[in-house]
Amino acid sequence: MLREKAKKVARVDTSIQKLLDDLAETMLDAPGAGLAANQIGVALRVCVVKGDENQIWGLVNPVIVKSSGSQVGYEGCLSKPGWVGEVERYEAVVVKGLNRHGKQVRIKSTGFTARAFQHELDHLDGVLFTDRLTSLDTLRRVEDLVGEDHEEAEAVAAASG
C-alpha cells in the first residue's frame, strides 16, 4: 500500500475526522512528526503533520501550491524505523488542503515543518524518503552513525513520519 497513490477524499465527514484523530494519536505515540493515511493501511489523501511549534495540522487532499529554496538533511520514516538518509527538500512550502471541518486552508512552513509536509505528501503519492536520497551511500542505520551525525540522525529518526 505504501507504493500506491492514495485516492482523493470526496467529502470530509465523521469517518474522515476519526481518521485524522487516529493518525494524530498514532503519530504522537510513535513518536513522529507526521503520518499519512496509507501508512496505516488507508488509501486516502489524508495526513497529519506536527510542526516546529508542536502544532498539529490535519489535512485532507493536501497539495503543495508554492515552494522555494533548498535544504539537505537527514530524514527517517515510521514505515522504515531505524533508518535515515540525506534528502534534499524545498526550504519553504505553502500547502493547501481541507481541514477537519471541510474548510480550505493554506499553511506556510519552512525548515523542518516544510520537510515534514513534503515527506507526508510524498507518502500520499506512493513515494518513500529512500526514493529521494541524495545518494544511496547516505542511507544508514541510526545506531551505525557516530558523533554529531548520530545525535542528529537519532533526533530525526525519532521525529520523522
Side-chain angles (χ1 to χ4, degrees), residues 132-144:
R132 297 207 182 269
L133 294 173
T134 56
S135 165
L136 191 53
D137 295 338
T138 69
L139 186 62
R140 299 274 190 276
R141 293 215 44 92
V142 172
E143 63 263 16
D144 293 341

Side-chain angles (χ1 to χ4, degrees), residues 78-159:
L78 294 176
S79 296
K80 296 212 179 263
W83 290 93
V84 294
E86 280 189 353
V87 176
E88 183 173 6
R89 298 281 189 186
Y90 295 115
E91 174 62 29
V93 294
V94 177
V95 180
K96 178 178 81 171
L98 302 176
N99 68 12
R100 65 182 297 108
H101 306 292
K103 303 289 185 205
Q104 181 113 257
V105 294
R106 291 171 69 93
I107 301 163
K108 296 177 185 177
S109 63
T110 60
F112 185 80
T113 305
R115 176 178 293 279
F117 273 117
Q118 292 168 81
H119 181 106
E120 298 316 320
L121 270 64
D122 271 355
H123 272 303
L124 298 178
D125 290 329
V127 177
L128 301 178
F129 84 99
T130 51
D131 300 328
R132 297 207 182 269
L133 294 173
T134 56
S135 165
L136 191 53
D137 295 338
T138 69
L139 186 62
R140 299 274 190 276
R141 293 215 44 92
V142 172
E143 63 263 16
D144 293 341
L145 296 171
V146 294
E148 282 183 28
D149 282 348
H150 180 78
E151 289 173 15
E152 180 184 355
E154 250 185 355
V156 169

Side-chain angles (χ1 to χ4, degrees), residues 1-13:
M1 174 154 300
L2 287 176
R3 290 298 187 179
E4 294 175 19
K5 190 169 180 155
K7 294 175 179 51
K8 194 170 182 176
V9 173
R11 187 170 67 89
V12 178
D13 57 17

Side-chain angles (χ1 to χ4, degrees), residues 21-33 35 50 56 78 158:
D21 293 341
D22 290 347
L23 286 169
E25 181 179 337
T26 303
M27 173 190 68
L28 293 171
D29 284 349
L35 194 63
K50 183 174 81 173
I56 297 174
L78 294 176

